[in-house]
Amino acid sequence: MEYDTIVVGAGISGLLSALTLSKHGKKVLILEKDSIVGGQCNSYMVEGFQVDTGPHAITHLEVGPLKRLMDNYFDYVPVFENYGTYYSRTENDFRPVPSNLKEFIRFEPIPKKDRLIIAQGITKALTLSTFGINLSQQSVKSTLPENLSKTTKDFVNAICYFLSGKSMEYTSVHRILTGSAFVRDSITQEQFEANIGKIEGKQADTILQSVIPSKLHKPLSNKMSTFSVPLTSLGRLATNQSSSSQGYPRQGLKALLNSILQSLPNSVEIITNTEVKSFITEGKKVVGVKTDNEVYEAKTVIYTGFAKKLPTLYSKFPVSYIDKVNNIEQSKSLTIWLGLDSILDEFSYIGSEIWFKDFPYWAMPISNYDSSLAPKGKQLIGFAFIIDKNKDENEEIEKAYSTIFSAVPAVKNHIEMKHEQISVPEKGAVTINGTFADIRTPLENLYVAGTDADNRSMGITRAAYSVIELLKIAKEDGILNN
Ligand SMILES: Cc1cc2nc3c(=O)[nH]c(=O)nc-3n(C[C@H](O)[C@H](O)[C@H](O)COP(=O)(O)OP(=O)(O)OC[C@H]3O[C@@H](n4cnc5c(N)ncnc54)[C@H](O)[C@@H]3O)c2cc1C
């Protein structure tokens, strides 16, 4: 056979799968249905502004799975700007989102009585989690009393939407604890080597290392070089300081994509504009894929598209498997990018803001990290909303604009560019009732990787987790070293 592995999809999960497997000596073909690679992880120009495919914070850069993959497989890594602070905005208030209980008790935008109730709830949940009680099936709503004020419910819902893409009714308590870094998600180099093995002689260069003064990145690079032990501790209640290091890639989200593309060896081939329509099988084994015009054969196939669509590519999956992938919950997001004709005082911070009233948004002024993302003297801000998939998109867009204008009235008179994106933010949403696909499938040698195949963390961090799990399974199945 010409290829060891075919990867279906050239989003971040497919590219990370191809990069890692090729560095283990595999000849890899990536087939992408779109005309460009990157999937949900890319940037492009709109009227002189460089927008990303949604606002992005790259999390767990200190000891998370992406860091592990960068250390072991990348030849080049992006420069990450320190993420900054999460703020909460209301009509007449703008302040940091509390990152520990002490700050939470003083968080005036929500009524004092509710703050005390929620503080007790967080303490109780963390105590249970510390003693090993599984809270992944317990909804946030079911743990809170009914009589909270609407403002408080809006606040809790906004945090839930941000962390899971769903309301508090469907978001698990576990997701809140991990997503707000009370319980840390991590994979240390020691854990990586125990599962996959030691990769010799790796030392990635930083893209732009020669042009960016290193002191600019000191705070984050200091954090990244400090070894930290995964932590699940009540002590965090008092000390938590948005502790999982987060960053924004200098030159935009595409810098992360480019660092993967530049690290790919020649043994990886990418073909775009090519949709995989079905799998070719021999007995219960996959041996290749079919597109409209071609057949490609390989010993293994890794699928990184929507797992829900797998049954359309192979009609003989067992019913129980079809039910499982059909049960994957998804949410729908709307991002509105606004290019402003000047730099507004209202957006003079580094980090992002959450508006939590009625129709919550999460906004990031990304040109504050890197002024080259907007024309000189101008500013670029992305506002992300979770929208109702059953409602008319145009009505949701209109509602989103009026929310932005009531939150920050000054914006309205400074808009030079507007651009809207609608997408499924991270494929499988982590909810109490949804399922995820396993990496192994009922078809031998067909694996699923990507954000539908792991429920840890979110987005790109989750994609990286799934690829580490894929490598571990490939090793167990004797694929990695053959
Ligand atoms: C608004 C928004 C905000 C986000 N914020 C963050 C954030 O702050 N932090 C974070 O880490 N993540 C964030 N994410 C999520 C993150 O971008 C995604 O989870 C991640 O990029 C998904 O990568 P993936 O490779 O699993 O999937 P995708 O990017 O969807 O890639 C799948 C690829 O497979 C291709 N494909 C599918 N089927 C086929 C087929 N049959 N044949 C050929 N090709 C096929 C698709 O065209 C696509 O290119 C955000 C996403 C959005 C939309």
Side-chain angles (χ1 to χ4, degrees):
M1 278 184 195
E2 200 182 338
Y3 302 101
D4 294 306
T5 306
I6 291 171
V7 174
V8 183
I12 191 99
S13 307
L15 292 169
L16 287 173
S17 304
L19 171 68
T20 53
L21 289 167
S22 61
K23 296 266 168 138
H24 284 277
K26 304 294 168 198
K27 189 158 190 257
V28 183
L29 170 67
I30 308 178
L31 297 173
E32 167 56 53
K33 68 177 177 185
D34 212 341
S35 57
I36 50 164
V37 299
Q40 304 259 3
C41 178
N42 212 339
S43 319
Y44 52 93
M45 297 302 292
V46 183
E47 297 168 30
F49 294 84
Q50 184 185 299
V51 304
D52 295 328
T53 44
H56 276 71
I58 312 295
T59 60
H60 300 287
L61 286 169
E62 191 181 351
V63 284
L66 183 64
K67 165 81 170 140
R68 226 30 76 211
L69 293 178
M70 291 196 293
D71 281 356
N72 288 285
Y73 298 100
F74 283 39
D75 297 335
Y76 300 94
V77 291
V79 176
F80 286 100
E81 298 287 358
N82 207 342
Y83 184 74
T85 305
Y86 286 93
Y87 293 92
S88 135
R89 186 188 290 278
T90 57
E91 288 88 345
N92 38 29
D93 189 80
F94 186 75
R95 66 175 71 212
V97 170
S99 67
N100 61 44
L101 278 193
K102 206 164 126 201
E103 286 172 14
F104 186 76
I105 297 290
R106 296 200 195 117
F107 186 62
E108 282 169 20
I110 66 176
K112 191 168 182 189
K113 140 183 121 29
D114 289 355
R115 281 180 249 158
L116 294 171
I117 294 171
I118 291 183
Q120 278 169 0
I122 297 175
T123 313
K124 187 173 161 202
L126 195 56
T127 311
L128 293 172
S129 163
T130 302
F131 287 103
I133 310 287
N134 181 0
L135 299 174
S136 56
Q137 296 303 313
Q138 191 170 325
S139 78
V140 171
K141 184 166 191 258
S142 72
T143 58
L144 295 176
E146 282 293 323
N147 57 352
L148 294 174
S149 69
K150 177 172 179 321
T151 306
T152 307
K153 285 184 183 160
D154 279 352
F155 179 75
V156 176
N157 261 328
I159 302 289
C160 289
Y161 278 123
F162 173 56
L163 291 175
S164 78
K166 295 280 170 177
S167 69
M168 63 166 134
E169 205 172 342
Y170 301 104
T171 303
S172 76
V173 176
H174 178 75
R175 185 74 198 99
I176 297 289
L177 293 181
T178 50
S180 49
F182 282 122
V183 173
R184 186 172 289 179
D185 265 333
S186 72
I187 175 149
T188 63
Q189 182 65 19
E190 287 76 2
Q191 286 167 327
F192 175 85
E193 286 177 13
N195 287 326
I196 289 139
K198 197 169 170 63
I199 317 283
E200 294 299 338
K202 276 305 306 148
Q203 181 65 62
D205 289 331
T206 303
I207 289 184
L208 298 174
Q209 207 163 40
S210 53
V211 282
I212 308 284
S214 57
K215 64 176 170 31
L216 260 183
H217 309 287
K218 260 258 153 44
L220 191 57
S221 57
N222 281 349
K223 273 191 192 172
M224 287 172 71
S225 57
T226 332
F227 177 76
S228 353
V229 180
L231 191 60
T232 302
S233 152
L234 283 172
R236 295 197 75 75
L237 281 180
T239 59
N240 186 34
Q241 287 289 343
S242 177
S243 56
S244 57
S245 57
Q246 296 188 19
Y248 178 77
R250 191 171 178 91
Q251 293 202 342
L253 195 54
K254 73 164 191 223
L256 176 58
L257 171 66
N258 287 344
S259 69
I260 302 175
L261 293 174
Q262 291 181 26
S263 300
L264 289 177
N266 290 338
S267 54
V268 179
E269 196 182 324
I270 305 180
I271 308 181
T272 52
N273 289 315
T274 304
E275 179 168 3
V276 169
K277 293 283 177 71
S278 61
F279 299 125
I280 312 168
T281 56
E282 266 175 25
K284 290 192 167 147
K285 216 186 210 179
V286 77
V287 290
V289 300
K290 260 191 206 164
T291 65
D292 276 338
N293 312 313
E294 299 281 346
V295 165
Y296 298 93
E297 293 183 345
K299 292 178 209 151
T300 51
V301 175
I302 293 161
Y303 176 82
T304 69
F306 289 113
K308 265 180 192 299
K309 291 212 167 152
L310 278 167
T312 64
L313 302 179
Y314 177 67
S315 59
K316 295 186 193 150
F317 280 122
V319 175
S320 57
Y321 186 72
I322 297 173
D323 285 348
K324 184 168 178 163
V325 292
N326 277 337
N327 252 338
I328 295 174
E329 282 279 329
Q330 294 179 328
S331 45
K332 194 171 171 186
S333 71
L334 161 69
T335 301
I336 293 182
W337 288 100
L338 296 181
L340 305 182
D341 61 10
S342 52
I343 296 168
L344 295 193
D345 284 348
E346 283 82 350
F347 297 108
S348 59
Y349 58 87
I350 298 283
S352 62
E353 63 174 70
I354 293 168
W355 167 266
F356 62 85
K357 297 274 178 73
D358 295 325
F359 195 25
Y361 71 62
W362 170 49
M364 265 176 88
I366 59 170
S367 56
N368 291 2
Y369 294 108
D370 181 347
S371 58
S372 73
L373 303 180
K376 201 164 187 305
K378 303 188 175 177
Q379 197 169 33
L380 175 64
I381 303 154
F383 298 81
F385 297 79
I386 296 292
I387 58 172
D388 189 333
K389 56 179 182 242
N390 302 314
K391 288 197 179 146
D392 180 79
E393 282 181 3
N394 289 329
E395 280 174 24
E396 293 289 87
I397 291 173
E398 212 174 292
K399 201 168 94 185
Y401 274 110
S402 60
T403 302
I404 296 169
F405 298 150
S406 65
V408 195
V411 168
K412 209 169 180 174
N413 301 325
H414 293 276
I415 299 175
E416 188 175 297
M417 179 281 291
K418 350 186 215 182
H419 179 65
E420 293 125 25
Q421 301 162 332
I422 290 193
S423 42
V424 178
E426 45 191 6
K427 301 200 279 187
V430 186
T431 61
I432 50 161
N433 55 348
T435 50
F436 274 78
D438 296 324
I439 301 264
R440 286 192 186 94
T441 69
L443 259 183
E444 224 176 289
N445 295 351
L446 172 69
Y447 299 92
V448 179
T451 39
D452 271 356
D454 207 298
N455 64 5
R456 287 171 288 178
S457 197
M458 55 206 256
I460 286 163
T461 308
R462 191 195 299 168
Y465 261 128
S466 84
V467 172
I468 291 182
E469 197 62 24
L470 170 76
L471 294 172
K472 184 176 153 217
I473 284 173
K475 191 172 177 215
E476 283 167 15
D477 290 357
I479 291 165
L480 209 53
N481 304 318
N482 277 342

